[in-house]
Amino acid sequence: FIYRFKIRIMHDVFRSDLLKVDKLGRDYILEVLNRDTEMVSQQVNSVLSLFQSLLTVCFLLLHMATISLTACLILSVAIAVVSFFGVIELNKLVGGVRVLSVKEAQVNGMYAAFLSGYKEVKMNSQRALGLTRDLIAEARVVKTEKTKLVQDVVQFFTYLQMLMYLVVGLIIF
């Protein structure tokens, strides 16, 4: 899946206007590829568990509909409310990922600029210290924000899965 995604991106880059590719920059394109690959590989288990929970709830709702239509409707409303708030929270997390990816791309751009001008920077040690301090400070901020965002994403999927198990428990009892 990830391999096909990278191949598709390469195909899109070959077909696109060179000015747009130059405007985005090599570092930003690589950052997006790395970020997306990392997010997909980290979240596959959570997404699969969530789908398993959703399928379990759907089939249990069908079973409940054969027993009591009223109970099925009440549980359907409860599931809809949980899903609604889940989608709102997911949209917040997606927005956070977008903002963080822009910051991470800026830090990587700073790092690439530092490496491309390393010889010139090294000759001026005061300038090198200033650039290094800025780079380290920005990288720490991004790392802290990224760690918190990954924890929030994991907690979100765990929360949704627990709510689905709660609904399954309500259906059974």
Side-chain angles (χ1 to χ4, degrees):
F1 176 74
I2 294 171
Y3 173 76
R4 281 189 261 150
F5 178 71
K6 286 183 177 181
I7 296 297
R8 190 184 70 192
I9 294 295
M10 288 172 54
H11 180 67
D12 290 345
V13 167
F14 282 132
R15 291 186 327 181
S16 68
D17 185 18
L18 287 178
L19 291 176
K20 290 181 181 178
V21 173
D22 284 341
K23 184 179 177 183
L24 284 175
R26 176 181 166 261
D27 300 324
Y28 180 75
I29 293 171
L30 288 174
E31 175 59 36
V32 168
L33 283 173
N34 288 333
R35 180 199 68 213
D36 292 347
T37 303
E38 181 182 343
M39 287 298 285
V40 167
S41 64
Q42 286 180 352
Q43 299 305 321
V44 166
N45 290 332
S46 298
V47 171
L48 288 176
S49 297
L50 181 67
F51 280 125
Q52 180 184 7
S53 299
L54 287 173
L55 285 174
T56 303
V57 167
C58 288
F59 285 113
L60 285 174
L61 275 176
L62 286 173
H63 177 68
M64 182 60 76
T66 61
I67 296 171
S68 170
L69 191 58
T70 306
C72 179
L73 290 175
I74 291 171
L75 288 172
S76 296
V77 169
I79 291 170
V81 168
V82 168
S83 299
F84 176 73
F85 287 116
V87 167
I88 290 172
E89 190 63 30
L90 184 62
N91 285 335
K92 289 178 188 175
L93 289 173
V94 167
V97 167
R98 286 185 182 138
V99 168
L100 185 63
S101 69
V102 169
K103 288 181 182 179
E104 200 167 20
Q106 289 171 347
V107 169
N108 287 343
M110 288 172 61
Y111 187 66
F114 176 78
L115 289 178
S116 64
Y118 179 71
K119 290 178 184 176
E120 296 154 7
V121 169
K122 184 142 173 97
M123 295 180 120
N124 186 351
S125 61
Q126 291 297 328
R127 183 173 176 217
L129 283 174
L131 287 173
T132 305
R133 283 187 192 127
D134 290 343
L135 181 62
I136 290 171
E138 288 294 321
R140 282 184 180 154
V141 168
V142 169
K143 180 191 74 144
T144 303
E145 290 178 8
K146 187 174 184 177
T147 301
K148 183 176 179 340
L149 187 65
V150 168
Q151 288 173 347
D152 289 345
V153 168
V154 169
Q155 287 175 351
F156 169 74
F157 281 110
T158 303
Y159 174 73
L160 278 183
Q161 191 173 8
M162 293 301 292
L163 285 177
M164 288 301 163
Y165 286 137
L166 177 67
V167 170
V168 169
L170 289 173
I171 291 173
I172 291 172
F173 294 110

